[in-house]
Amino acid sequence: MAIFSVPRQIIHGENALEHLAQLEGKKAAIVTGGNSMKRFGFLDKAKKYLEQGGMEVLIIDGVEPDPSIATCKEGGAKMAEFEPDWIIALGGGSSLDAAKVMWVFYEYPDYDFMELVKFNFPKLRTKARLACIPSTSGTASEITAFSVITDTDNHIKYPLVSPDIVPDVAILDPELPSTMPALITAQTGMDVMTHAIEAYVSTAADDYTDPLALQAIQLVFGYLKKAIDNPEDLVIRDKMHTASTIAGMAFSNCSLGIVHSMAHKIGGEFHLTHGEANAIMLPYIIDYNRKGTDKYDQLEKILGVDDIAEEVRKLNASIGLSVNIKDGKNTIIEEDAFLAVLDKMSQRAFDDACTLTNPRNTSAEDIKKIYEAAYYGRKVDF
């Protein structure tokens, strides 16, 4: 038996942010990183719409990239004092992911985080509901049962999964991502591509998830470069927002694979941006996974291309992302530092929850070889 879960409402298109005025409740807590959302006026707009709807508003800002366990607990404590009916997550994937776990600590202040790591979530919605408003077309956290939280002491990113943290409302306004720099558009857009391709080849994929993943792949190939070249075109931005959301619908219900397992762990060690880690490693892992599935062949026939891995490489190059980790311009990872943690990182990636639905049975040793290939730019032929 399988379960397919999505938010009860998905509000999308221009001026979708105005829907906040329609939410019913007395108090709302907005969770955000704060900088870009404040600078471009979206935080003030969100607060204004909530107040128009009759709500008192608390702002919890300062969520960092790769949000920590401590940030989630602190946010939950602030919510416990304020007692909101709605939690409004506004911003990039970090803000959305953090808000989901703050929600847990609001409703259950003493809950053991390691139980969440084991996917043992308590029953939520005893005090509040969750609305998510993404500023990037990337993580799809506004639609998913996933949250990624970092243990900063041990340099581990934990993917947390529960149907309980699927938001009640997703609000997709293309004006928000139109303010994002080209690099962030590129990185988050390749996160979408990775979500979609990994969902399509997942061992848990089915007739519910495949059409969503396939459409997302086609939209990213069609619109990601255009979004970088024409950042203020809201029609193009809306297409990328749609791609992100439907890819999220797919992977939230059939999970992912070792691209994400490996991106989680190298991101935890070196703060390599998640989308860029995915972008670099995706073609290497497509080459590796071909021995475990014929779905890449199916995908190539549908898209009318000879080699999906090569098409991903071409797209990466066209949007300014690196072909390997060593030559990465955006995050420098020195060889000595990489090799020092390679064994540990490989084992942790193998133990990651996303490994379970990878289409090829793998091992920590294979993952180590893939990391090395992606670091040095070597061919994967094992």
Side-chain angles (χ1 to χ4, degrees):
M1 183 174 66
I3 298 173
F4 188 87
S5 299
V6 295
R8 184 172 176 270
Q9 287 187 314
I10 301 169
I11 315 300
H12 59 97
E14 290 187 47
N15 303 313
L17 195 63
E18 295 177 10
H19 183 74
L20 288 173
Q22 307 302 314
L23 301 182
E24 295 182 358
K26 295 180 179 179
K27 294 182 178 183
I30 300 176
V31 177
T32 187
N35 292 331
S36 62
M37 292 298 93
K38 190 179 295 182
R39 185 166 69 253
F40 292 110
F42 296 121
L43 182 57
D44 287 341
K45 279 186 179 181
K47 184 173 182 288
K48 179 187 74 173
Y49 291 136
L50 290 165
E51 289 173 342
Q52 284 179 3
M55 286 202 235
E56 183 183 348
V57 179
L58 168 71
I59 294 171
I60 301 173
D61 59 6
V63 174
E64 73 273 39
D66 303 328
S68 66
I69 299 169
T71 293
C72 296
K73 289 184 175 180
E74 289 165 9
K78 290 176 182 177
M79 290 178 189
E81 285 185 25
F82 184 66
E83 298 184 337
D85 308 295
W86 279 95
I87 299 167
I88 312 296
L90 174 68
S94 295
S95 297
L96 276 55
D97 284 1
K100 292 177 177 181
V101 180
M102 288 179 187
W103 187 16
V104 175
F105 287 119
Y106 166 35
E107 300 199 0
Y108 300 89
D110 299 321
Y111 203 77
D112 182 356
F113 178 80
M114 294 311 295
E115 288 299 307
L116 304 182
V117 173
K118 300 172 188 173
F119 309 143
N120 295 327
F121 274 69
K123 182 177 177 60
L124 296 175
R125 296 171 179 80
T126 65
K127 297 179 181 178
R129 287 178 286 172
L130 176 66
C132 287
I133 309 164
S135 63
T136 60
S137 304
T139 69
S141 189
E142 75 278 359
I143 207 90
T144 71
F146 281 68
S147 172
V148 180
I149 303 299
T150 300
D151 178 343
T152 53
D153 293 333
N154 295 302
H155 305 289
I156 301 175
K157 281 189 178 183
Y158 287 111
L160 313 177
V161 189
S162 170
D164 259 290
I165 58 173
V166 173
D168 297 276
V169 180
I171 298 176
L172 307 166
D173 191 320
E175 189 179 358
L176 276 72
S178 74
T179 63
M180 293 297 107
L183 177 59
I184 292 178
T185 299
Q187 291 169 334
T188 55
M190 288 309 297
D191 195 14
V192 178
M193 180 67 88
T194 308
H195 289 157
I197 291 178
E198 287 214 288
Y200 192 76
V201 302
S202 164
T203 58
D206 60 23
D207 289 339
Y208 287 82
T209 61
D210 273 358
L212 295 165
L214 177 60
Q215 178 67 0
I217 292 165
Q218 293 172 318
L219 286 172
V220 177
F221 274 128
Y223 290 97
L224 177 54
K225 181 67 164 59
K226 291 178 182 177
I228 292 167
D229 294 341
N230 306 279
E232 296 180 3
D233 187 318
L234 296 187
V235 173
I236 293 170
R237 289 290 187 174
D238 195 43
K239 292 291 188 181
M240 281 304 300
H241 243 5
T242 297
S244 177
T245 300
I246 62 176
M249 290 180 184
F251 87 78
S252 186
N253 289 284
C254 69
S255 196
L256 294 159
I258 60 171
V259 183
H260 271 77
S261 301
M262 295 172 68
H264 291 153
K265 304 321 172 191
I266 199 168
E269 287 289 345
F270 297 106
H271 303 289
L272 177 60
T273 301
H274 178 68
E276 185 151 355
N278 281 335
I280 292 170
M281 289 189 289
L282 177 58
Y284 296 95
I285 292 167
I286 291 173
D287 290 339
Y288 170 79
N289 275 340
R290 279 189 180 277
K291 293 183 179 178
T293 180
D294 63 358
K295 291 199 74 174
Y296 297 110
D297 296 335
Q298 293 177 22
L299 184 56
E300 287 161 352
K301 288 178 182 176
I302 294 168
L303 297 176
V305 301
D306 294 327
D307 185 341
I308 186 66
E310 188 59 29
E311 295 303 315
V312 170
R313 290 186 182 97
K314 289 178 185 176
L315 181 57
N316 280 340
S318 75
I319 59 177
L321 298 183
S322 302
V323 297
N324 60 56
I325 298 166
K326 186 177 183 181
D327 297 335
K329 302 180 185 70
N330 303 311
T331 302
I332 306 300
I333 301 176
E334 298 293 349
E335 185 175 23
D336 288 351
F338 174 77
L339 294 175
V341 298
L342 180 57
D343 287 336
K344 176 181 71 173
M345 198 165 60
S346 301
Q347 184 60 53
R348 286 176 171 176
F350 176 69
D351 293 336
D352 189 279
C354 294
T355 301
L356 295 171
T357 44
N358 192 67
R360 178 177 172 183
N361 288 332
T362 189
S363 64
E365 185 60 33
D366 275 10
I367 286 173
K368 178 180 176 180
K369 291 178 183 177
I370 298 168
Y371 268 134
E372 290 173 327
Y375 186 85
Y376 296 108
R378 296 171 182 162
K379 186 176 180 180
V380 174
D381 55 4
F382 55 90

